[in-house]
Amino acid sequence: MAEAVVTVDGWSALHDTRQFDWTSWKSISEDERNKAIQEFEELIKQWETVEENKEGSHSIFKVVGNKADLMFIFLRETMDELEEIKRAINKSVLGDFLIPAYSYVSIIEMTMHDPMKAGEDRELSPYVKERLRPIMPKWEHACFYPMARRREPEANWFAIEKEERTKLLYEHGMTGRKYAGKVKEIITGSIGLDEWEWGVTLFAHDPLQFKKIVYEMRFDEVTTKYAEFGDFIMGNYLAPDELANYLAL
């Protein structure tokens, strides 16, 4: 049997996308809308305090396309905290207009053996700890997609030897390094937690970089032979002080 990968794990992650009920939003008074926005802004301030204390992170994005209107991304130490956040959103007045569209639950992970260092075990350095408990960059654009590894007779990722997996991941990582400063990523594991096996969240100043990096990585053997992908969700960053303007009629 092939050797199982050992991971080092960090914060839990929730990707929560919502459709906004604009029809119902238009039917209430301006005063009611303002109160709902103010209440939600107070909720965001609570999330900001958590982030300032480096106990978690969050970002909100305006989704391009019709898969959703908004995408909330939360990183927290525990799943309990993620569920509490979801419940707080749903209990808010604005939550009455935020209709669940899609969600993804996962945990930030890194493989214990570092493919960029010939498979040597990672040291739990400040750099690794920062990768496991990151503060999300407030860049202009984000792209999320789930993925899995194939388990077919001629292409079974879980059947190949650790050394071969390490080599393929090293080559894959070298492709990603070309986009340093242009794209930042957070990799989360979701085996046993959600429908797919991993989640990938990319951040960029220019959304064209999402297209370029994903396209180039399709030519890496680890992708061409072993990868399957779910739907991609792309959004534009919504700063806290832009919420009222976004919801204005």
Side-chain angles (χ1 to χ4, degrees):
M1 293 178 62
E3 182 180 350
V5 171
V6 177
T7 62
V8 285
D9 303 286
W11 279 339
S12 298
L14 172 64
H15 292 69
D16 184 347
T17 71
R18 305 288 181 116
Q19 297 281 2
F20 194 78
D21 186 353
W22 291 103
T23 301
S24 297
W25 184 244
K26 294 173 186 176
S27 70
I28 64 175
S29 68
E30 183 177 0
D31 183 59
E32 289 175 306
R33 290 195 296 270
N34 289 335
K35 288 181 179 178
I37 292 170
Q38 291 169 7
E39 178 194 36
F40 207 81
E41 287 175 335
E42 290 300 314
L43 194 57
I44 292 174
K45 287 179 182 178
Q46 295 176 25
W47 303 338
E48 290 177 330
T49 299
V50 172
E51 187 164 281
E52 289 168 3
N53 294 332
K54 297 185 177 181
E55 296 173 343
S57 188
H58 72 280
S59 283
I60 307 173
F61 297 91
K62 300 169 287 184
V63 174
V64 180
N66 292 322
K67 292 172 183 170
D69 290 307
L70 294 171
M71 175 169 63
F72 297 85
I73 305 177
F74 297 103
L75 305 177
R76 288 294 187 273
E77 188 66 38
T78 68
M79 291 288 178
D80 287 340
E81 292 171 271
L82 293 179
E83 190 279 327
E84 288 170 4
I85 291 171
K86 183 196 72 173
R87 188 157 23 104
I89 292 174
N90 292 341
K91 285 183 175 181
S92 71
V93 175
L94 196 66
D96 292 343
F97 305 90
L98 292 167
I99 311 304
Y102 175 79
S103 67
Y104 203 81
V105 176
S106 53
I107 298 174
I108 296 175
E109 72 171 33
M110 299 174 72
T111 56
M112 178 60 80
H113 60 278
D114 189 344
M116 307 308 289
K117 294 183 179 179
E120 294 178 10
D121 282 356
R122 298 183 192 273
E123 296 180 7
L124 293 182
S125 64
Y127 166 75
V128 171
K129 292 178 181 178
E130 184 178 324
R131 290 283 302 274
L132 294 174
R133 290 170 170 78
I135 301 300
M136 284 183 280
K138 304 307 187 245
W139 288 9
E140 293 89 334
H141 308 282
C143 175
F144 169 75
Y145 59 93
M147 63 169 294
R149 296 296 182 196
R150 291 192 180 116
R151 291 180 295 278
E152 298 176 359
E154 301 303 319
N156 188 336
W157 176 257
F158 297 95
I160 61 178
E161 295 298 326
K162 173 183 174 181
E163 291 73 18
E164 177 67 9
R165 295 197 304 264
T166 297
K167 179 182 78 72
L168 294 175
L169 289 172
Y170 172 81
E171 295 168 353
H172 198 52
M174 292 304 293
T175 301
R177 284 192 173 189
K178 297 178 184 179
Y179 294 85
K182 298 178 182 179
V183 177
K184 290 189 177 182
E185 69 173 13
I186 295 176
I187 305 298
T188 54
S190 48
I191 295 176
L193 301 174
D194 219 310
E195 183 177 3
W196 293 79
E197 294 172 343
W198 287 275
V200 179
T201 307
L202 305 176
F203 304 89
H205 296 297
D206 180 357
L208 178 61
Q209 299 304 319
F210 297 145
K211 178 176 179 291
K212 287 182 175 295
I213 189 172
V214 174
Y215 176 72
E216 186 169 354
M217 284 185 162
R218 291 290 170 102
F219 291 90
D220 295 337
E221 185 178 355
V222 71
T223 302
T224 58
K225 190 173 182 180
Y226 295 106
E228 296 179 344
F229 298 92
D231 287 343
F232 285 64
I233 301 174
M234 207 284 283
N236 305 323
Y237 180 63
L238 178 63
D241 59 3
E242 296 174 351
L243 179 66
N245 184 60
Y246 175 79
L247 295 171
L249 297 177

